[in-house]
Amino acid sequence: MAQVSLRKIVKAYEGGVQAVKGIDLEIDDHEFVVLVGPSGCGKSTTLRMIAGLEEITGGDIAIGGTIVNDIPPRDRDIAMVFQNYALYPHMSVYENMAFGLTLRKFPKAEIDTRVKAAAEILDITPLLDRKPKALSGGQRQRVAMGRAIVRNPKVFLFDEPLSNLDAKLRVQMRTEIKKVHQRVKTTTIYVTHDQVEAMTLADRVVVMNHGIIEQVGPPQELYHSPATKFVAGFIGSPAMNFIPARLEQASGALVLALPDGIRLNVPEARSARYAAHAGREVLFGIRPEHLTDDKPTDKANPAPLTLTPEVIEPMGMETLAHFRLDGAEISARLDPATPAEVGVPLRLIAHMDQMHLIDPTTDKVL
Ligand SMILES: Nc1ncnc2c1ncn2[C@@H]1O[C@H](COP(=O)(O)OP(=O)(O)OP(=O)(O)O)[C@@H](O)[C@H]1O
Ligand SMILES: [Mg+2]
């Protein structure tokens, strides 16, 4: 087990694509870190550089305190699980899991102990004699993880390991992966483009965009205190609403002036933080879950506003409503018993304790 350090890592592919533009990241021993971001942002490239499968153009990678820039993949003591975890079809589950150790000439008894222990952790002991074709997708995925676990590596690397599974199985396997990590505690770096997977699995989430790191933090911190508009919009589903507004000073208090004459009081607790931006154009960010029906609330600083629903989507446990305000699309999460109707103005409450303000010129959260 080990820490992993990335220092000023750059990757330029031939043809001039800069896939990774100088990232710094310190991953602790036993930590589960998830790299998340949109397609093409450099997640797989970063992971493959840690694995040694891709040369680095600049910077240093250290595993367990040793710089591994020039160490070949097989000597880095890492195990990788890919999206296409090809199992050997002619080998049993046992043989598939044992294969890497056999190649490395481990004694038979040691291999047997490790394979059986991993099978136990993954709950696949009864399947050890089966061939891959006689397994379900989720069971195959477990075998692929088993191959990594038996190696007892310093670091696990996962690249979208669940993306071939159907939605229900993904959620199940997500929980399995978390359980496995709680038991074996191996330092893990996991790549996904799915923010829900990132939030549910990670000790810390690394949000990447265009080859840079936008923000690193525990899931709740990214959700409550995003640093940039990108992170604010990427984490959370449905995504945060962004509404163009003007921050105004009105008789000692700050007020947000939205389109259509809507005015929302800014909580006093935010006055000091925002005072310097009074008089400026800003983006008002509010999550759909903080825009609710007009009902009594125990939360401080509720601000009323009236919007007219364009679309209403009952989801069972909640109802989503979509609005438009001067071009901005806005969604709200309403009570399933909401009286909301398409085309009928609806009084909502914005929970201003949960508001964000974004500088539209820098996209930084103020
Ligand atoms: N071998 C290569 N040669 C040239 N460019 C490449 C190569 N591999 C990746 N790239 C480019 O580098 C960038 C980052 O690719 P990468 O595979 O790391 O993205 P990703 O974040 O894993 O995306 P996805 O979610 O689609 O898997 C992309 O613009 C991609 O086109
Ligand atoms: Mg990828």
Side-chain angles (χ1 to χ4, degrees), residues 81-83 85-88 91-94 96-97 118-149 161-162 164-166 168-170 172-174 176-177 180:
V81 180
F82 296 95
Q83 175 181 344
Y85 44 88
L87 301 176
Y88 299 108
M91 290 185 194
S92 67
V93 165
Y94 185 103
N96 263 288
M97 285 166 66
E120 209 46 45
I121 289 172
L122 293 162
D123 211 9
I124 51 173
T125 306
L127 307 178
L128 284 173
D129 293 330
R130 291 215 201 154
K131 296 274 169 62
K133 68 171 187 303
L135 301 176
S136 71
Q139 290 166 337
R140 281 181 210 159
Q141 184 58 51
R142 274 170 226 241
V143 178
M145 280 172 58
R147 278 197 309 207
I149 291 172
L162 306 184
N164 281 348
L165 306 178
D166 66 53
K168 199 171 158 202
L169 200 51
R170 280 183 79 125
Q172 243 174 332
M173 282 304 296
R174 196 171 80 195
E176 289 305 316
I177 290 177
V180 167

Side-chain angles (χ1 to χ4, degrees), residues 10 27 63 93 100 129 149 157 211 240 334 360 364:
V10 174
I27 297 165
I63 299 176
V93 165
D129 293 330
I149 291 172
L157 304 178
M240 189 186 288
L334 308 179
K364 294 258 191 291

Side-chain angles (χ1 to χ4, degrees), residues 38-45 48 83 159-160 191-193:
S39 185
C41 71
K43 307 178 295 292
S44 296
T45 300
R48 291 170 58 80
Q83 175 181 344
D159 194 349
E160 310 245 12
V191 161
T192 178
H193 61 269

Side-chain angles (χ1 to χ4, degrees), residues 214-215 222 225-229 231-232 363-366:
E214 291 264 340
Q215 191 173 357
L222 295 197
S225 312
T228 63
K229 184 184 176 203
V231 175
D363 281 349
K364 294 258 191 291
V365 175
L366 300 172

Side-chain angles (χ1 to χ4, degrees), residues 24-278:
D24 289 297
L25 183 62
E26 293 293 328
I27 297 165
D28 278 339
D29 195 10
H30 306 311
E31 201 177 13
F32 197 124
V33 161
V34 178
L35 309 183
V36 68
S39 185
C41 71
K43 307 178 295 292
S44 296
T45 300
T46 304
L47 203 70
R48 291 170 58 80
M49 288 191 286
I50 298 168
L53 300 172
E54 205 71 72
E55 249 181 65
I56 56 179
T57 311
D60 287 317
I61 296 179
I63 299 176
T66 308
I67 298 214
V68 296
N69 296 10
D70 301 318
I71 296 181
R74 65 174 179 282
D75 298 327
R76 289 192 185 193
D77 203 3
I78 42 119
M80 192 147 172
V81 180
F82 296 95
Q83 175 181 344
N84 299 313
Y85 44 88
L87 301 176
Y88 299 108
H90 57 286
M91 290 185 194
S92 67
V93 165
Y94 185 103
E95 289 161 342
N96 263 288
M97 285 166 66
F99 189 64
L101 299 180
T102 311
L103 275 187
R104 286 175 172 78
K105 306 229 173 348
F106 273 66
K108 269 213 161 60
E110 172 70 17
I111 295 179
D112 194 59
T113 310
R114 289 199 189 187
V115 169
K116 286 183 176 154
E120 209 46 45
I121 289 172
L122 293 162
D123 211 9
I124 51 173
T125 306
L127 307 178
L128 284 173
D129 293 330
R130 291 215 201 154
K131 296 274 169 62
K133 68 171 187 303
L135 301 176
S136 71
Q139 290 166 337
R140 281 181 210 159
Q141 184 58 51
R142 274 170 226 241
V143 178
M145 280 172 58
R147 278 197 309 207
I149 291 172
V150 295
R151 299 259 316 278
N152 190 21
K154 283 188 186 142
V155 184
F156 284 140
L157 304 178
F158 290 93
D159 194 349
E160 310 245 12
L162 306 184
S163 47
N164 281 348
L165 306 178
D166 66 53
K168 199 171 158 202
L169 200 51
R170 280 183 79 125
V171 173
Q172 243 174 332
M173 282 304 296
R174 196 171 80 195
T175 314
E176 289 305 316
I177 290 177
K178 196 154 181 164
K179 278 191 207 157
V180 167
H181 183 257
Q182 282 164 4
R183 294 185 64 174
V184 301
K185 297 193 169 62
T186 306
T187 308
T188 300
I189 309 174
Y190 185 108
V191 161
T192 178
H193 61 269
D194 178 347
Q195 58 94 17
V196 177
E197 218 166 277
M199 295 285 279
T200 50
L201 281 171
D203 294 322
R204 281 189 307 154
V205 179
V206 178
V207 182
M208 293 184 67
N209 186 26
H210 295 307
I212 61 150
I213 292 177
E214 291 264 340
Q215 191 173 357
V216 182
Q220 292 297 342
E221 188 177 308
L222 295 197
Y223 176 85
H224 288 290
S225 312
T228 63
K229 184 184 176 203
F230 180 82
V231 175
F234 192 79
I235 300 287
S237 177
M240 189 186 288
N241 300 301
F242 297 115
I243 308 167
R246 196 181 158 78
L247 188 63
E248 291 177 358
Q249 188 91 50
S251 56
L254 289 171
V255 175
L256 273 177
L258 272 55
D260 279 4
I262 297 172
R263 294 175 70 79
L264 305 174
N265 292 330
V266 174
E268 215 183 305
R270 303 282 185 108
S271 300
R273 177 164 158 193
Y274 296 147
H277 304 279

